[in-house]
Amino acid sequence: MTNTCMFLLAVVVFVVTGPRMILGQDSDREFEKDPGYWQENAQAAIRDFVSNPLNTNVAKNVIMFLGDGMGVSTVTAARILKGQLEGMPGEESVLSWEDFPHVAMSKTYNADRQVADSAGTATAYLCGAKANFGTVGVDASVRRGDCRAMGGDKHKVDSVARLADKDGKSVGVVTTTRLTHASPAGTYANSPERGWENDADMPDQAKRDGCKDIASQLIENGRNYKVLLGGGRRNFFDNAIDPEYPHEGSTRGRRRDGRNLVVEWGWGKEDFNTSYVWNKEQFDKIDPLKTDYLIGLFEPSHMQYVTDTDRAGEPTLTEMTDKAVRMLQKDGNGYFLFVEGGRIDHGHHKGRATRALAETIEMERAVQRAKDLTSAEDTLIIVTADHSHGLSIGGYPMRGRPIIGLGQAYDGEDWAQDGLPFTTLTYANGPGFAIHGNGRRHDIRRVDVADKDYRQQATLPFPDESHAGEDVSVYARGPMAHLFHGVQDQSYIAHAIKYAACLGDSKEHCLQKEAAKKKAEEPTEQPQAEKEEDIETDATYDVQVNAQEAPEVDEMSSEHDVTHSTGRPATEKPALATTPVPSPTTKAVNKTTPYIFIPPSDEDARREAVFDLISERVGGGWKKLVRCLPGTQVTKHMVQVVQKSYRGSKERAKKILGLWQRINSEDATIINLVTGLDRCGRRRLAKYIDIHFTTGVL
């Protein structure tokens, strides 16, 4: 736990020497007195913004960072603490996501509560619908704990993670809480009660009504998720002894249905490299380039605070993020990764601001790691919170005064009106409330207010400090990051992600964009009137054919009109095969493309049919075509259909048509020849031409 030790040491040094250290830097910041300094800073930011055009690429990858309870005051305090730990006054510091070019505000209320909880908010930012307090993955028709109200699947809502999975992308979930806790549950679960994390937590009636516990839903709905890292071992095992705490009964598995969900998670993955780990030593041995599926459960409940030590050792959020990104990057289709700094929220609930801020700074490191590992060209990174907390940065402290230290009043005094000192950070409510019998606050002059377990004073007595209802920030970088703007309902976030990554029902604009791109790539040359002398021989594919030998065909004939030189009526159309038969040499067949049946022995008719098809596709006349075509006779095993979408240029047409003279065996694969000679890949080529091979028996 090197990072933890360094953090604690830094806090101790900072609290002891902080004021003197900052005062010693006063002369070093003389430049701040010059208005030109601030002007240049602003001008540089403006130049940077206007010089970077909007990124309208499709988001191949999406990484969503969720700071649970990371309201604006938490972000500000963490920024200052980060800077002060680095030896600066702190206020001028920058968190790793604060250079993202696009920022919005998110309204966090639940459908039924002014101040939200983490389950209803997870449904909003992951599934795109406001939900009721305490429910996850269901719409607002479902009240908390009411299984029957779900109506089977009627009121379930899918998360962007599940949509990404259905669209063939890899998915990962990383958290410092239990994997079955409210926020990560939003990526895979549909439940009227966030507390039903294992079957023992559920009432019998809910089971009879068809509801499932959240841990089992992770294994079922998230079966294809590639990376699952967090806490919550107890929800996956049936009364099993915990490997890390074998002598503590409270850590044993809590399931009562006899299921071992980790074993079930591995079902169907026998042909893949899968791993289950529960401590840092095992985690560090995982090679992300060789591992296909990874589940890590590092604690019976939540993972340890980053400021704590741990008996078995566990990875930090940064290390888990690093491993997850490296694993998911192997998928050429892209990925969706959800990363939660979940214990920010828990630090606040206990009234311990130092813990909450340390967790925020750890998430800041994780975001930086993700930035380092990805490109803004194809990866959308979002940083936001589900809700805020009642943390306040109050008083009038001098610049550089320790953010986790004592505060100052308006006139610079170190005490409030009651004559007692106070801290810069306080809570609106929580366990830090303490009023003595004499009606006075606790005197904290001899208290280490920077200690990780110190509870900041609170105005109202609550057993746990509560959430707060103000808007939270959304920071975005990468493809379509500009969608995050203004003040939006929290449910907007999921829809913006779907739009940016073309997920679910948000594909139409991507198809339009792709069509426009194809059209832009099309040659601008228009078909010209036929002239026998206007065709130049291709320098590479020199094809010499006597144009006078070519049969004449009515240029107005349709795609399937074939003129036969064997006395067959020109108006007779060939029979169409009702079922396409793919050749062994062709993997993909357009099932809607009709096949033209021509008797194998009728070579002239076959040649004319092929000429007719190609002529219509390239927009050229017979005399143009035959000059490009080889003089060799068409064999029995030649191409039957050229796809409608072919819109190649004259030069490409000559190259493709010139290949006929090269085909002299029954198993020749023209698409391979064209791929190589046209110097473009199969996928690109498929956009232009699709040639099917037949053997004459359709």
Side-chain angles (χ1 to χ4, degrees):
M1 301 295 287
T2 305
N3 289 340
T4 299
C5 295
M6 292 300 296
F7 179 83
L8 292 174
L9 178 61
V11 169
V12 171
V13 173
F14 163 68
V15 171
V16 173
T17 66
R20 286 176 292 169
M21 175 178 63
I22 302 304
L23 289 175
Q25 291 183 352
D26 242 9
S27 59
D28 295 337
R29 305 198 67 81
E30 285 293 318
F31 56 83
E32 290 187 354
K33 298 178 181 179
D34 179 6
Y37 165 76
W38 304 106
Q39 178 178 348
E40 178 53 35
N41 269 0
Q43 292 294 331
I46 292 171
R47 288 193 299 270
D48 182 62
F49 183 80
V50 300
S51 64
N52 290 301
L54 297 181
N55 184 343
T56 59
N57 295 340
V58 173
K60 176 183 177 182
N61 315 306
V62 178
I63 305 177
M64 183 176 187
F65 283 91
L66 191 284
D68 198 319
M70 192 181 70
V72 173
S73 59
T74 301
V75 172
T76 303
R79 179 199 309 133
I80 295 172
L81 179 58
K82 177 195 174 187
Q84 292 180 343
L85 292 174
E86 293 172 349
M88 300 184 293
E91 296 82 2
E92 72 290 344
S93 184
V94 178
L95 298 174
S96 58
W97 58 77
E98 292 185 319
D99 64 355
F100 286 8
H102 301 284
V103 182
M105 298 299 291
S106 168
K107 297 186 282 186
T108 64
Y109 64 92
N110 288 151
D112 62 344
R113 297 282 184 106
Q114 194 172 78
V115 178
D117 87 312
S118 293
T121 54
T123 308
Y125 61 73
L126 285 169
C127 305
K130 289 276 187 178
N132 291 323
F133 192 91
T135 66
V136 60
V138 294
D139 65 34
S141 301
V142 180
R143 293 290 176 179
R144 185 172 189 176
D146 189 352
C147 185
R148 292 183 180 179
M150 291 183 63
D153 294 338
K154 182 178 179 181
H155 297 293
K156 293 180 179 180
V157 286
D158 273 348
S159 71
V160 290
R162 294 188 67 185
L163 293 177
D165 179 35
K166 292 176 182 179
D167 281 358
K169 292 181 180 292
S170 292
V171 177
V173 180
V174 174
T175 180
T176 51
T177 69
R178 296 187 295 269
L179 272 170
T180 50
H181 207 236
S183 300
T187 64
Y188 60 84
N190 311 101
S191 177
E193 173 53 65
R194 59 175 287 181
W196 294 347
E197 295 188 45
N198 64 70
D199 67 309
D201 295 331
M202 297 179 64
D204 291 338
Q205 185 59 53
K207 297 176 186 177
R208 288 193 293 269
D209 290 339
C211 282
K212 297 181 179 181
D213 66 273
I214 292 173
S216 67
Q217 290 189 57
L218 172 57
I219 301 306
E220 295 166 10
N221 298 340
R223 179 171 298 279
N224 295 327
Y225 291 9
K226 297 293 182 68
V227 183
L228 299 168
L229 300 173
R233 276 196 303 264
R234 69 191 189 194
N235 295 321
F236 293 81
F237 299 97
D238 177 36
N239 199 32
I241 295 175
D242 190 85
E244 185 177 358
Y245 309 98
H247 303 298
E248 298 181 20
S250 62
T251 64
R252 296 174 72 96
R254 295 191 176 185
R255 301 197 66 81
R256 296 296 176 264
D257 55 8
R259 297 174 67 182
N260 182 325
L261 296 185
V262 171
V263 170
E264 291 186 26
W265 169 80
W267 290 350
K269 300 182 175 73
E270 291 80 8
D271 295 333
F272 297 92
N273 188 344
T274 63
S275 293
Y276 161 61
V277 297
W278 61 268
N279 61 41
K280 190 175 189 302
E281 181 181 1
Q282 297 170 344
F283 175 84
D284 288 343
K285 292 179 180 178
I286 296 297
D287 184 344
L289 300 181
K290 297 180 180 179
T291 304
D292 300 309
Y293 293 89
L294 173 64
I295 183 170
L297 301 171
F298 301 105
E299 283 289 332
S301 184
H302 303 302
M303 292 180 66
Q304 300 282 340
Y305 287 105
V306 71
T307 51
D308 289 339
T309 57
D310 175 46
R311 278 172 277 184
E314 57 192 48
T316 64
L317 187 65
T318 302
E319 292 167 335
M320 292 191 292
T321 300
D322 181 283
K323 191 86 72 178
V325 171
R326 292 181 190 275
M327 279 188 61
L328 298 175
Q329 280 179 333
K330 295 179 296 183
D331 192 335
N333 293 325
Y335 59 84
F336 175 84
L337 174 61
F338 177 79
V339 182
E340 182 198 20
R343 306 227 66 187
I344 300 170
D345 179 71
H346 297 165
H348 282 317
H349 277 310
K350 298 304 178 184
R352 293 177 171 132
T354 300
R355 287 187 183 274
L357 298 185
E359 295 293 317
T360 307
I361 292 175
E362 176 58 31
M363 195 180 89
E364 190 262 354
R365 296 190 188 105
V367 173
Q368 184 60 52
R369 184 65 57 84
K371 289 170 61 178
D372 294 341
L373 292 173
T374 60
S375 167
E377 290 301 305
D378 64 1
T379 303
L380 172 64
I381 300 180
I382 303 160
V383 179
T384 189
D386 48 356
H387 54 74
S388 184
H389 273 273
L391 178 71
S392 173
I393 306 174
Y396 296 91
M398 297 294 290
R399 173 82 179 276
R401 194 170 180 92
I403 190 67
I404 53 175
L406 297 176
Q408 287 180 300
Y410 182 79
D411 54 7
E413 294 179 342
D414 295 334
W415 52 84
Q417 200 169 9
D418 60 3
L420 295 174
F422 62 95
T423 55
T424 299
L425 300 179
T426 58
Y427 287 102
N429 57 54
F433 174 87
I435 298 294
H436 296 291
N438 58 7
R440 290 173 60 83
R441 292 184 298 117
H442 181 57
D443 189 344
I444 57 175
R445 278 177 287 194
R446 291 185 174 85
V447 176
D448 181 3
V449 297
D451 185 83
K452 63 181 181 179
D453 289 321
Y454 173 72
R455 298 182 191 271
Q456 273 70 21
Q457 292 182 338
T459 305
L460 298 174
F462 274 38
D464 286 313
E465 185 269 345
S466 76
H467 296 171
E470 69 265 21
D471 299 347
V472 297
S473 302
V474 187
Y475 308 84
R477 167 196 112 152
M480 304 303 290
H482 52 280
L483 292 175
F484 296 94
H485 69 288
V487 180
Q488 309 288 350
D489 273 314
Q490 196 167 45
S491 52
Y492 172 87
I493 295 174
H495 294 283
I497 292 173
K498 287 164 60 177
Y499 189 95
C502 302
L503 299 176
D505 57 5
S506 296
K507 293 188 174 75
E508 183 176 353
H509 71 285
C510 299
L511 297 175
Q512 294 173 348
K513 184 184 295 186
E514 183 66 22
K517 183 179 179 181
K518 288 180 181 179
K519 187 174 182 180
E521 292 175 350
E522 291 177 4
T524 57
E525 181 182 7
Q526 299 296 324
Q528 299 177 0
E530 288 188 38
K531 293 182 181 179
E532 292 196 21
E533 61 275 10
D534 67 350
I535 299 296
E536 298 176 2
T537 301
D538 189 290
T540 307
Y541 307 103
D542 189 7
V543 182
Q544 296 180 353
V545 179
N546 185 351
Q548 300 302 321
E549 296 177 1
E552 291 297 328
V553 176
D554 181 6
E555 295 187 12
M556 297 301 292
S557 61
S558 67
E559 175 181 346
H560 304 301
D561 286 341
V562 181
T563 303
H564 301 282
S565 61
T566 57
R568 200 169 172 180
T571 57
E572 182 179 344
K573 294 186 178 181
L576 298 182
T578 57
T579 304
V581 180
S583 160
T585 60
T586 307
K587 292 185 178 179
V589 177
N590 184 348
K591 295 182 179 180
T592 63
T593 303
Y595 283 83
I596 300 176
F597 178 77
I598 305 173
S601 61
D602 195 348
E603 298 295 339
D604 292 338
R606 181 183 299 279
R607 182 179 184 183
E608 291 176 12
V610 174
F611 282 3
D612 189 21
L613 285 169
I614 298 176
S615 177
E616 285 201 15
R617 298 300 181 261
V618 301
W622 277 102
K623 293 179 180 179
K624 281 187 178 182
L625 279 168
V626 296
R627 292 188 179 191
C628 301
L629 288 169
T632 57
Q633 193 67 259
V634 177
T635 65
K636 296 180 181 180
H637 305 287
M638 301 303 289
V639 173
Q640 294 289 312
V641 176
V642 178
Q643 194 178 31
K644 292 181 181 179
S645 60
Y646 177 57
R647 296 291 186 271
S649 67
K650 181 171 64 179
E651 292 302 313
R652 180 173 280 120
K654 289 198 295 185
K655 290 180 182 180
I656 292 173
L657 297 175
L659 290 169
W660 289 94
Q661 67 182 1
R662 296 174 177 266
I663 297 180
N664 50 26
S665 64
E666 293 184 355
D667 61 349
T669 307
I670 193 170
I671 198 165
N672 286 336
L673 289 171
V674 177
T675 299
L677 295 171
D678 197 44
R679 296 184 178 180
C680 62
R682 256 179 204 278
R683 295 178 65 182
R684 176 182 172 88
L685 183 67
K687 298 176 182 179
Y688 298 110
I689 187 168
D690 179 41
I691 302 178
H692 304 300
F693 289 83
T694 66
T695 61
V697 182
L698 295 177

